[in-house]
Amino acid sequence: MNARSYKGIEVFRVAAAFLVVAIHTSPLGSYGLTANFILTRVFARVAVPFFFMATGFFVLGGGRSARGSLKKLLIIYAASAALYLPVNVYAGHLQSWDLPELARQVLFEGTFYHLWYLPAAILGLWLTEKLISGAGMRAAGLIALALYALGLLGDSYWGLIEDVPGLSGVYNAIFALMGYTRNGLFFAPLFMWMGCALRQGRPRFLPDKAAFEAAGLAGSLLLMLAEGLTLMFLGWQRHDSMYIMLPAVMYFLFALLLRAGGAAGLPLGAFSLLVYILHPAVILAVRAAARILGLWDILVVNSLGHYAAVCLGSAAVSALLLAAWAKVKPWRVSDTARAWVEVDLDALRRNAAALQEASPEGCRLMAVLKCDAYGHGARRSALELERMGVKAFAVACCAEGVELRRAGVRGLILILGYTPVSQWRVIRRYRLTQCAVDSAYARALNEAAGKPVDVHIKVDTGMHRLGESWEHADAIAECFSLPRLRVTGMFTHLCVSDSLSEGDVAFTELQIERFFSLAAGLKARGIDPGALHTQASYGLINYPDARCAYARAGVALYGVKSDEHDGLRSWPGLIPALSLKARIGLVRELPAGESVGYGREFTTSRASRIAVLPIGYGDGVFRCAMHGGAEAIVNGSRCPIVARICMDQLCLDVTDAGDVKPGDIATFIGRDGGETISCEEFAAKSGTISNEVLSRLGKRLPRVYKN
Ligand SMILES: *Cc1c(COP(=O)(O)O)cnc(C)c1O
């Protein structure tokens, strides 16, 4: 998942960078030592652990290669050290360097005071990844915690052991080697591990509630304040980066920030990194400028004025550098360079609201996000829906469920399909809810699982695909008593809810009746069948009165019908969210009688202008669409697809579309000017239904999100 979808985290990166600036400039220094201590030695101490947690969250938890990130960090470190080399030389720091001192500087101290963060991030990331892959998540957490505890004694709690003969000797040896304990060995791993763990969800034993986390943050911050002040008055602190309360503060802070989703829009991560790296240089520049301008009192002596000047200066330089970079941006392929899918998130949100509105009292929307949310992009869609209050999601398989959890989705995630029982640990770890495909499967899962797994029981009421037969009430009842299954729901699937013919309506009503009589029978035996659900999109629209806890809406959520001619009692204002577009690569003039493409299957019947587009069946424009009369809109005019569709290319006859040039956009699904090609039309001309078109949109197509 792109880091930019976590707005809370991204915005706080900037705040954290300015907190680091505060540590180095003491904004309240002119106003009171204690106030300044509280700001810079207690509260601002969240900044660096926050950066470590974000690294753990996005790199270790996001399944990104630590190697790639380590390489990036090394380059940033080398560049930053080089940037400050002249200052080091000027200040005379270099003259005293011998080899052990040099090693200490490079490995732990970062060569310039604030740069210690970079070697700490590098060592911490490397070490934490090794711990997790070598010892497993739980043991790695314990080791990281132990390292942190050891580090505390060399940092804020130094006074506790300073006079203990053996111990202080050991620590003095550590200090000789690495200067401080707030480094990549003792400090960083715990926070990197916490970030990684949070990516897999909040711990089960803590309430998943914003109010709880806000109260936790306030409480732990107060305790950390008390801790910091006590340690200061005791005079125990050799350094003041590490507190006992800091991990608790960081958990609540990060968990709260995770709740603010959505796109940040700006490259705040890069901005905060630049502010972090550049601010010491800006401190020097502010001093120089103050001297030249005769503003020494305001810009240097006054601590707040100094802080403001350094912040503004750092922000301005960083923003200018980023703007210059954005102008150049040499290596990034534009999302709309070739062919792409455009997703209107506002339409998706409005459809979800409309479906929720159409659901009867007590029935909640379960957004079906299988097959990458019918091509719309599962992670982004899920986060967007979760933000507007959708609390349940369905996927087809275990891997899709893991993907959503890792993207930060917190609600119920139901796996609709089969998962081998050997995967029970994955199901449990990512708090997924597995569909028990029949009673034999439920028993096998119970047998295999070492600890309880969440399950919804699937009941076959006549479709004869997945599910235990509704007639086997005893077998189904037994599933509820299996010790390692936590059965939280029961569901069935309707197979002709898309038809309003008399026979099909009767069959659907029979399915619903079978399901609810089974549920009533279970209740009569004293079994709570949990959340009941029967309807997919069409079931919800055509049979809104079924008394269900969830409606599993897929295709309608995306604002399309499977087939234009489906039997539907209503269509509650749903609008298509997806468009498929490609750029024209070349426009060719051909006289009448010339053939185009493989097999010479198309021959111009008149002098023609043929546009070649870089999109093909590899992207989901079916090869058979040419014979079905499929079209694309160019300049507001419909143009037929001509000649055989290739894997990566196809041709449009744009003779009647006016002035068409390379680079112009063709719309295969969606609207351009007054013309619209619906997904239903595109599907019908390819001899299939919308669902197949959407689910087969190629991986190669970037998803571009609007609104
Ligand atoms: C795919 C699927 C759905 C969603 O179906 P739509 O018709 O797209 O709403 C619901 N339930 C099950 C079991 C499914 O497999």
Side-chain angles (χ1 to χ4, degrees):
M1 185 71 203
N2 191 319
R4 292 222 203 146
S5 312
Y6 294 93
K7 200 176 200 163
I9 303 292
E10 291 308 289
V11 170
F12 197 79
R13 281 181 199 274
V14 177
F18 288 121
L19 284 177
V20 173
V21 177
I23 295 175
H24 295 146
T25 53
S26 294
L28 302 180
S30 314
Y31 303 92
L33 285 180
T34 308
N36 192 58
F37 178 87
I38 291 171
L39 173 65
T40 64
R41 310 290 129 167
V42 182
F43 289 151
R45 288 311 187 191
V46 302
V48 167
F50 169 80
F51 287 125
F52 290 149
M53 276 186 91
T55 303
F57 185 82
F58 290 113
V59 179
L60 297 173
R64 263 174 34 204
S65 113
R67 220 168 207 228
S69 302
L70 283 171
K71 204 166 130 189
K72 226 159 130 187
L73 281 167
L74 275 170
I75 292 171
I76 293 169
Y77 181 25
S80 313
L83 177 69
Y84 285 100
L85 196 60
V87 188
N88 267 326
V89 173
Y90 179 74
H93 290 160
L94 283 180
Q95 286 150 16
S96 62
W97 282 13
D98 51 16
L99 206 60
E101 169 66 9
L102 191 72
R104 196 182 70 140
Q105 285 293 330
V106 171
L107 289 178
F108 295 103
E109 294 298 294
T111 74
F112 199 63
Y113 65 94
H114 72 306
L115 295 182
W116 71 270
Y117 165 76
L118 289 166
I122 292 166
L123 177 60
L125 181 58
W126 177 82
L127 182 64
T128 313
E129 197 212 26
K130 286 280 169 280
L131 284 175
I132 292 174
S133 62
M137 201 61 195
R138 185 178 300 216
L142 289 173
I143 295 170
L145 189 63
L147 285 169
Y148 186 81
L150 290 174
L152 271 174
L153 292 176
D155 196 89
S156 277
Y157 284 82
W158 172 238
L160 199 59
I161 58 158
E162 193 178 6
D163 299 324
V164 182
L167 260 182
S168 61
V170 172
Y171 273 87
N172 280 320
I174 292 176
F175 298 144
L177 211 64
M178 46 187 82
Y180 297 95
T181 53
R182 53 106 179 91
N183 56 31
L185 178 61
F186 296 108
F187 189 35
L190 178 63
F191 299 108
M192 298 227 173
W193 179 89
M194 283 171 62
C196 175
L198 260 172
R199 188 69 180 257
Q200 284 153 24
R202 290 163 172 75
R204 277 171 190 266
F205 58 87
L206 290 180
D208 184 357
K209 294 242 162 26
F212 167 74
E213 283 157 9
L217 179 61
S220 55
L221 265 177
L222 276 177
L223 286 174
M224 189 162 88
L225 177 60
E227 183 186 2
L229 288 174
T230 309
L231 291 168
M232 181 185 74
F233 287 122
L234 287 174
W236 278 10
Q237 292 177 296
R238 180 174 180 274
H239 190 70
D240 41 37
S241 279
M242 301 171 76
Y243 292 104
I244 289 178
M245 286 314 296
L246 187 56
V249 169
M250 294 316 299
Y251 169 79
F252 291 121
L253 175 64
F254 209 88
L256 261 185
L257 291 171
L258 279 179
R259 293 184 182 275
L266 292 166
L268 299 180
F271 176 77
S272 60
L273 183 70
L274 281 172
V275 168
Y276 182 89
I277 290 172
L278 296 176
H279 77 270
V282 174
I283 293 177
L284 299 178
V286 165
R287 288 171 156 266
R291 193 163 283 145
I292 292 166
L293 299 172
L295 296 173
W296 190 259
D297 281 348
I298 300 172
L299 296 184
V300 178
V301 177
N302 182 294
S303 63
L304 262 183
H306 184 57
Y307 178 63
V310 174
C311 284
L312 286 174
S314 308
V317 174
S318 303
L320 279 174
L321 283 174
L322 281 176
W325 177 257
K327 271 240 166 75
V328 188
K329 236 188 205 174
W331 299 301
R332 199 178 168 295
V333 180
S334 154
D335 280 341
T336 57
R338 179 187 73 96
W340 66 96
V341 163
E342 230 166 72
V343 178
D344 179 353
L345 290 172
D346 191 44
L348 191 64
R349 287 189 291 260
R350 281 159 65 181
N351 292 343
L355 288 169
Q356 186 60 69
E357 184 70 22
S359 307
E361 182 93 2
C363 177
R364 295 206 296 186
L365 178 66
M366 179 186 283
V368 180
L369 303 178
K370 59 195 183 190
C371 211
D372 208 20
Y374 293 50
H376 293 63
R379 287 172 297 199
R380 188 61 187 271
S381 304
L383 292 174
E384 210 58 47
L385 292 169
E386 189 160 66
R387 219 148 59 95
M388 60 165 289
V390 176
K391 292 201 164 60
F393 305 90
V395 293
C397 60
C398 195
E400 289 182 341
V402 170
E403 183 191 9
L404 291 190
R405 205 52 101 202
R406 290 196 128 175
V409 172
R410 285 174 286 132
L412 170 78
I413 300 179
L414 173 63
I415 300 170
L416 297 169
Y418 167 76
T419 304
V421 296
S422 60
Q423 303 288 292
W424 70 270
R425 278 194 187 81
V426 182
I427 299 170
R428 208 184 124 80
R429 168 119 173 224
Y430 290 93
R431 291 178 292 115
L432 306 174
T433 301
Q434 174 58 39
C435 154
V437 301
D438 66 0
S439 61
Y441 177 90
R443 288 192 298 274
L445 182 59
N446 177 64
E447 195 63 33
K451 288 189 181 156
V453 179
D454 291 334
V455 158
H456 280 197
I457 308 268
K458 182 81 181 269
V459 180
D460 175 19
T461 52
M463 181 167 181
H464 302 329
R465 195 173 63 177
L466 292 182
E468 181 58 60
S469 168
W470 67 281
E471 291 170 304
H472 299 162
D474 289 340
I476 292 173
E478 193 203 324
C479 297
F480 286 85
S481 63
L482 295 170
R484 281 181 297 280
L485 298 192
R486 229 179 345 236
V487 183
T488 52
M490 188 170 86
F491 69 113
T492 191
H493 198 43
L494 308 173
C495 51
V496 277
S497 62
D498 58 344
S499 157
L500 295 179
S501 85
E502 205 176 314
D504 289 338
V505 170
F507 190 81
T508 303
E509 283 170 351
L510 179 66
Q511 278 193 286
I512 296 174
E513 151 64 23
R514 283 171 171 172
F515 181 74
F516 282 98
S517 74
L518 170 73
L522 290 172
K523 282 180 192 154
R525 297 185 189 200
I527 295 171
D528 173 12
L532 301 178
H533 43 115
T534 60
Q535 308 134 298
S537 297
Y538 285 9
L540 174 63
I541 289 166
N542 287 338
Y543 303 88
D545 299 330
R547 300 139 285 165
C548 292
Y550 292 114
R552 305 183 303 268
V555 74
L557 180 61
Y558 308 105
V560 301
K561 300 169 190 158
S562 294
D563 186 300
E564 194 52 57
H565 306 294
D566 284 333
L568 282 166
R569 287 192 216 274
S570 66
W571 190 245
L574 306 172
I575 34 182
L578 179 142
S579 309
L580 174 61
K581 299 182 175 179
R583 271 187 205 283
I584 289 169
L586 176 156
V587 182
R588 179 187 299 286
E589 312 264 353
L590 287 177
E594 286 295 319
S595 68
V596 181
Y598 283 129
R600 306 187 62 198
E601 208 168 313
F602 169 76
T603 303
T604 52
S605 58
R606 54 177 176 165
S608 302
R609 306 184 72 221
I610 303 294
V612 185
L613 288 93
I615 181 173
Y617 57 75
D619 301 296
V621 182
F622 294 111
R623 196 164 173 272
C624 59
M626 170 205 168
H627 299 294
E631 297 168 316
I633 313 168
V634 180
N635 271 346
S637 312
R638 282 172 174 260
C639 304
I641 297 179
V642 294
R644 276 193 201 160
I645 295 170
C646 315
M647 188 184 292
D648 323 298
Q649 315 204 40
L650 57 75
C651 294
L652 291 177
D653 183 344
V654 296
T655 313
D656 300 324
D659 178 29
V660 177
K661 318 174 286 304
D664 285 355
I665 295 172
T667 302
F668 291 81
I669 300 174
R671 169 193 289 277
D672 174 15
E675 280 289 349
T676 301
I677 296 177
S678 67
C679 187
E680 292 88 331
E681 176 191 335
F682 184 86
K685 289 181 170 167
S686 308
T688 183
I689 58 171
S690 304
N691 309 45
E692 186 179 1
V693 166
L694 293 174
S695 62
R696 289 175 63 159
L697 289 169
K699 245 189 163 155
R700 191 165 60 176
L701 298 167
R703 268 57 175 178
V704 179
Y705 294 94
K706 297 269 150 100
N707 301 318

